[in-house]
Amino acid sequence: MSAKILDKHATTAGAADPSARPSQQRTVSEESGGRGRTRSDAFPTAEAQRRWWGYFIVMSVCALVFSGLLLTWNNPVPPGTTGFWLIAQRRAWSLLAIIVVAVCQSFATIAFQTVTANRIITPSIMGFESLYRAIHTTTIFFFGAAGLTAARTTTTFVGQIILMVALCLLLYSWLLTNKRANVHAMLLIGVVLGTGLGSLSSFMQRLLTPSEFDVLTARLFGSVNNADPEYYPIAIPLVLVSTAGLYALARTLNVLALGRETATALGVNHRVYSIGVLVLVSVLMATSTALVGPMTFFGFLVATMTYIFADTFDHRYLFPMSVALGVCVLTGAYFVMNHVFDAQGVVSILIELVGGVTFLVVILRKGRL
């Protein structure tokens, strides 16, 4: 429950009847066992709050340890030399891509699931990844492998983000102007568009030569190696502005999570706030996908783990926990696969496998979407 709205109602009640507010405070204090807890607490018990801080600190420390190992482990040049720092700097660009992707996917997935009132679906359902595959497949289909390599520029990166966001804004504008439209109809249209783009991409891929198909396949797997440092001056400001906007709307997201009728009764314009959140989600997902490629089940995996560890519905605590978990999972996976199993390039496949299995387990346990 939004603390701000509850405080507003409590203030109004107190102004109408001066004796009501002290009485309400006493009642709340008595119900909480005299521990001073109010109805607007983010956690059900003080133990749950301590547990949240414990998990958050552990995940943050693990993320820092894995990040340090990624920068320094197995560096062939002696520490302190110029070559050592050059290799560490090159690895730092990949680490920055991991952090950007973790922030984008965690914030976008949790906000999207709150607005759609469904913890199974992810923003990928809107067709971001299908459009990404269609853009790259079309490029190599008409211009060949050399054209795909030459198209790896900042202009192309910005163009991909604009196309993905424009596709979502088209759907959201229809949702805003059509009185009969709802979020579920918009999601269904997103699924249809994604399926259509996927079928078009599959058709063109069948007409490619084997060498062109190999080049395209390597590009279509999500990897931090796809991130170019020239993209960061554009990607990082977009991510900072979007995440700051979503965090500022954390209390409103708490109310939206109660459902359309309850949110409207509490004075929140459900449609306007939902569209605003979805626009920010589309910017984050477009930036992440254009930067490293498709990460279909990573956001779902991180969001599901966040709900398990956080034990709260307050988005002020869900967002930080999801970021800590996302960075920990990605840095840990890249360190283990690159330096323990010496299997570079399969990290995204492993994450997609674990995320897909988690998705099936959640579906089978819930018995519904």
Side-chain angles (χ1 to χ4, degrees):
M1 184 69 70
S2 171
K4 187 176 181 180
I5 292 178
L6 288 178
D7 291 341
K8 179 181 178 182
H9 283 264
T11 304
T12 305
D17 183 4
S19 63
R21 188 176 177 83
S23 174
Q24 186 182 36
Q25 289 179 343
R26 285 196 300 272
T27 303
V28 172
S29 179
E30 291 169 1
E31 289 179 354
S32 60
R35 296 189 298 271
R37 185 168 61 86
T38 65
R39 292 180 186 275
S40 59
D41 280 349
F43 297 93
T45 62
E47 182 182 358
Q49 187 171 13
R50 288 194 295 271
R51 193 163 51 245
W52 184 93
W53 278 106
Y55 285 134
F56 180 72
I57 292 173
V58 169
M59 294 301 167
S60 300
V61 170
C62 290
L64 290 174
V65 169
F66 284 127
S67 299
L69 291 174
L70 279 176
L71 291 176
T72 59
W73 189 267
N74 202 21
N75 193 325
V77 183
T81 61
T82 305
F84 178 88
W85 292 113
L86 287 176
I87 294 177
Q89 182 182 9
R90 184 174 180 180
R91 293 179 177 180
W93 291 123
S94 299
L95 179 61
L96 184 57
I98 290 176
I99 296 173
V100 170
V101 171
V103 171
C104 289
Q105 295 278 343
S106 56
F107 265 76
T109 304
I110 289 179
F112 185 82
Q113 291 181 345
T114 298
V115 170
T116 57
N118 193 313
R119 291 188 172 183
I120 299 296
I121 59 178
T122 65
S124 300
I125 200 172
M126 299 303 297
F128 292 101
E129 295 165 3
S130 299
L131 183 58
Y132 177 86
R133 292 190 177 94
I135 291 172
H136 284 76
T137 305
T138 304
T139 302
I140 200 170
F141 181 80
F142 287 105
F143 304 104
L148 183 64
T149 304
R152 192 174 178 177
T153 62
T154 305
T155 305
T156 307
F157 175 72
V158 175
Q160 291 177 20
I161 294 177
I162 292 175
L163 278 176
M164 294 179 198
V165 175
L167 174 65
C168 292
L169 291 180
L170 183 65
L171 294 176
Y172 301 157
S173 61
W174 170 77
L175 176 67
L176 183 63
T177 56
N178 194 333
K179 294 183 179 179
R180 294 183 179 180
N182 55 54
V183 174
H184 296 93
M186 182 193 66
L187 295 178
L188 182 60
I189 292 176
V191 171
V192 173
L193 288 176
T195 304
L197 291 172
S199 300
L200 179 62
S201 301
S202 299
F203 172 74
M204 288 189 290
Q205 288 171 10
R206 292 178 182 276
L207 301 179
L208 298 176
T209 63
S211 59
E212 291 175 338
F213 185 77
D214 287 342
V215 173
L216 177 64
T217 302
R219 186 66 63 87
L220 295 185
F221 280 113
S223 173
V224 295
N225 296 325
N226 293 333
D228 193 317
E230 294 181 358
Y231 299 161
Y232 293 134
I234 300 170
I236 292 177
L238 288 175
V239 173
L240 290 178
V241 171
S242 301
T243 52
L246 285 177
Y247 196 82
L249 291 172
R251 292 178 183 274
T252 305
L253 284 169
N254 295 342
V255 182
L256 295 178
L258 300 174
R260 177 190 295 271
E261 290 76 14
T262 306
T264 304
L266 290 173
V268 174
N269 192 326
H270 186 275
R271 171 169 291 196
V272 171
Y273 277 107
S274 297
I275 292 175
V277 170
L278 290 175
V279 169
L280 296 176
V281 168
S282 67
V283 173
L284 289 175
M285 288 301 297
T287 304
S288 172
T289 306
L291 186 66
V292 301
M295 302 285 281
T296 305
F297 288 108
F298 175 67
F300 172 80
L301 178 64
V302 171
T304 302
M305 293 173 63
T306 300
Y307 299 138
I308 294 173
F309 286 111
D311 194 21
T312 179
F313 292 91
D314 195 329
H315 290 74
R316 294 174 298 170
Y317 295 91
L318 288 176
F319 285 142
M321 178 65 81
S322 66
V323 172
L325 278 167
V327 176
C328 180
V329 169
L330 269 185
T331 53
Y334 270 96
F335 173 76
V336 171
M337 298 308 296
N338 289 352
H339 298 292
V340 177
F341 295 104
D342 196 18
Q344 298 184 10
V346 300
V347 177
S348 62
I349 300 174
L350 181 64
I351 291 176
E352 297 300 297
L353 176 63
V354 175
V357 172
T358 306
F359 179 81
L360 292 176
V361 170
V362 173
I363 286 286
L364 293 175
R365 289 185 62 183
K366 293 174 68 72
R368 59 181 176 79
L369 289 175

